Amino acid sequence: MGGHRLNLSTLVFSVAVIIVVSHSAQSLALKHSPRFLRKLAATGTPFAPPQFHYETRYFQQRLDHFSFSDLPTFPQRYLISTEHWVGPQRLGPIFFYCGNEGDIEWFAQNTGFVWEIAPRFGAMVVFPEHRYYGESTPFGSAKEAYKDATTLSYLTAEQALADFSVLITDLKQNFSAKDCPVVLFGGSYGGMLAAWMRLKYPHIAVGALASSAPILQFEDIVPPETFYNIVSNSFKRESFTCFNYIKQSWNEITSTGQTYNGLERLTKTFNLCQKLKSTGDLYDWLDSAYSYLAMVNYPYPSDFLTILPGHPIKEVCKRIDGAPAGTNILERIYEGVNVYYNYTGKEKCFELDDDPHGMNGWDWQACTEMVMPMSSNQDSSMFPPYEYNYTFVKEECWNDYGVKPRPKWITTEFGGHVRK
């Protein structure tokens, strides 16, 4: 096996210094941004899921790594595979995926790259779960953990990175792997964590591959309209007609919603399970579909966020553009978003508020540390024009959680603008 393995230094050189920020950057702002996953297509996939073999274990983590208070610990779930690890004698590396804002098994089953390269490097693979997500909930249950700002106060990126570092240290000791190099992996928020962990704990890991990690989306480091422009361009490249239909649809939704029984008509047009309460809810639902489609516009069929064909944006635009003559704009839009929400055709109606992957903790994170300004430009975006309004965000967060965001904290903690 050794003769066929790639040189670890090649991988380390590549991942130690390169942070990839691509079109699939995850939605991270509060309101007027891609919202969390709504009701997805029916379970059961036509694609054969990959068969990755791992053992599920639990590690008792401190609730607060940065104080000496005698607080209760909580079980952090992690998945581990030593199937291809060549062991400490040969300095077999440890591939450590920084868990995202959801159930860790979901990410493990959809991060094939790590599993595919592990045999070539003779690597151990570890997927730790992010605190407060999946089964890694403090205070005994998700209900208690999410009760209020006091119990949620330990849900931070800093605490999560400390969890990862403590877990790695313990694993290396238990496996007599003190000298084995650790390489971090992550995508989207997990990619942000991988990049930040490499910066904050350089003695823990030799490199980090941070894919689609929007670490520059804070405090106006990049223009706030960047995200929506990129998503819009994904549709415009496929079909300018499709782009325009989507762009025109928002005004059509608004005007319909203002008519007598307009919300009922929209509810029927978009096949919603409950009567629409406001056009804003429908805006969010459509916004999520377009944004997530851009994130998973893979050239092959996938079932990461939901069951989708290869080149899903192409399929969406094909349905929007190809509707029979006389089809109105909203009916075209419905046919298009059906690709995202109901490609299997098994859904009878759609719920606007559902969180199938346990990602609700992100709302708290967006109200505290993850303050990412996002706007939509009327000229370049297919989304409704919107100027980022921090005052609005602050009011929403206070109403929801009784907390005020700290928009400068991430760049203070992890880097951003050069302070003068």
Side-chain angles (χ1 to χ4, degrees):
M1 179 177 179
H4 298 284
R5 288 169 53 212
L6 298 178
N7 191 320
L8 179 63
S9 63
T10 303
L11 179 66
V12 171
F13 176 79
S14 300
V15 302
V17 295
I18 297 176
I19 305 300
V20 180
V21 182
S22 79
H23 69 279
S24 59
Q26 174 169 329
S27 58
L28 300 175
L30 183 73
K31 306 296 184 184
H32 290 283
S33 69
R35 302 298 291 153
F36 295 106
L37 306 181
R38 306 303 184 188
K39 182 68 176 177
L40 302 183
T43 56
T45 169
F47 316 123
Q51 298 298 315
F52 302 132
H53 303 288
Y54 51 77
E55 180 183 350
T56 302
R57 298 184 185 179
Y58 296 85
F59 180 77
Q60 289 297 317
Q61 286 283 7
R62 293 177 62 92
L63 183 61
D64 186 358
H65 292 283
F66 306 108
S67 79
F68 291 89
S69 301
D70 187 18
L71 297 172
T73 61
F74 71 93
Q76 180 185 23
R77 179 170 58 156
Y78 66 97
L79 316 177
I80 183 170
S81 172
T82 58
E83 181 180 4
H84 301 290
W85 190 43
V86 296
Q89 296 81 9
R90 297 173 60 184
L91 299 182
I94 299 171
F95 288 174
F96 192 91
Y97 182 92
C98 296
N100 297 53
E101 69 285 26
D103 188 297
I104 193 58
E105 289 193 318
W106 179 42
F107 292 103
Q109 288 295 329
N110 288 280
T111 310
F113 176 70
V114 175
W115 298 101
E116 289 164 8
I117 66 173
R120 303 175 69 184
F121 288 96
M124 177 192 301
V125 175
V126 183
F127 276 78
E129 193 161 60
H130 193 298
R131 57 171 51 205
Y132 284 79
Y133 294 103
E135 296 182 9
S136 301
T137 52
F139 303 106
S141 69
K143 181 179 179 180
E144 286 298 311
Y146 283 73
K147 185 169 62 176
D148 54 36
T150 301
T151 56
L152 278 166
S153 63
Y154 305 100
L155 173 49
T156 67
E158 295 86 354
Q159 297 283 5
L161 295 183
D163 289 341
F164 296 160
S165 298
V166 170
L167 176 59
I168 289 172
T169 302
D170 185 80
L171 285 173
K172 293 183 79 169
Q173 179 178 346
N174 288 340
F175 281 95
S176 301
K178 178 183 176 182
D179 296 323
C180 292
V182 176
V183 180
L184 306 170
F185 295 83
S188 194
Y189 173 50
M192 297 161 73
L193 293 174
W196 290 337
M197 186 169 170
R198 172 66 180 140
L199 292 171
K200 299 297 286 188
Y201 298 95
H203 60 294
I204 296 289
V206 299
L209 178 60
S211 177
S212 303
I215 58 173
L216 302 180
Q217 190 65 52
F218 297 90
E219 203 186 347
D220 297 325
I221 297 175
V222 297
E225 62 271 14
T226 299
F227 177 82
Y228 281 116
N229 283 349
I230 291 173
V231 173
S232 298
N233 286 337
S234 296
F235 285 81
K236 186 185 290 185
R237 282 194 302 268
E238 192 59 53
S239 164
F240 190 73
T241 305
C242 175
F243 169 90
N244 274 332
Y245 275 129
I246 295 172
K247 189 178 181 72
Q248 295 165 19
S249 69
W250 308 106
N251 286 338
E252 188 70 21
I253 290 170
T254 299
S255 60
T256 301
Q258 292 172 344
T259 62
Y260 179 72
N261 286 337
L263 292 179
E264 290 184 6
R265 288 170 56 198
L266 290 172
T267 300
K268 182 177 180 179
T269 298
F270 288 93
N271 196 26
L272 306 178
C273 297
Q274 283 85 36
K275 181 182 175 181
L276 197 63
K277 296 179 181 178
S278 71
T279 54
D281 290 340
L282 183 57
Y283 269 40
D284 285 345
W285 189 70
L286 295 170
D287 182 308
S288 293
Y290 301 139
S291 300
Y292 284 116
L293 279 162
M295 296 179 200
V296 294
N297 192 32
Y298 307 135
Y300 47 81
S302 67
D303 61 352
F304 176 38
L305 298 181
T306 183
I307 298 171
L308 291 172
H311 301 286
I313 290 180
K314 181 188 291 292
E315 182 64 24
V316 169
C317 286
K318 178 181 176 182
R319 294 193 185 189
I320 290 176
D321 293 344
T327 305
N328 67 44
I329 289 180
L330 297 188
E331 290 171 339
R332 289 176 183 271
I333 295 301
Y334 173 70
E335 288 301 318
V337 296
N338 248 337
V339 172
Y340 182 76
Y341 286 115
N342 193 22
Y343 185 64
T344 63
K346 295 181 180 179
E347 290 296 317
K348 292 189 169 95
C349 61
F350 302 109
E351 301 281 356
L352 290 184
D353 292 311
D354 201 5
D355 181 32
H357 296 296
M359 298 170 68
N360 274 337
W362 187 261
D363 286 341
W364 163 265
Q365 292 189 260
C367 268
T368 50
E369 301 181 303
M370 300 297 169
V371 185
M372 295 189 168
M374 289 188 181
S375 299
S376 177
N377 183 283
Q378 183 172 1
D379 296 325
S380 56
S381 171
M382 68 182 191
F383 294 90
Y386 168 72
E387 288 295 325
Y388 179 76
N389 187 332
Y390 174 68
T391 299
F392 171 78
V393 172
K394 184 168 63 173
E395 290 173 355
E396 286 290 300
C397 291
W398 182 259
N399 291 336
D400 290 346
Y401 296 105
V403 296
K404 295 179 181 179
R406 297 173 64 185
K408 296 182 183 295
W409 175 243
I410 285 293
T411 53
T412 300
E413 173 74 357
F414 298 117
H417 288 298
V418 176
R419 305 292 183 186
K420 296 182 179 179

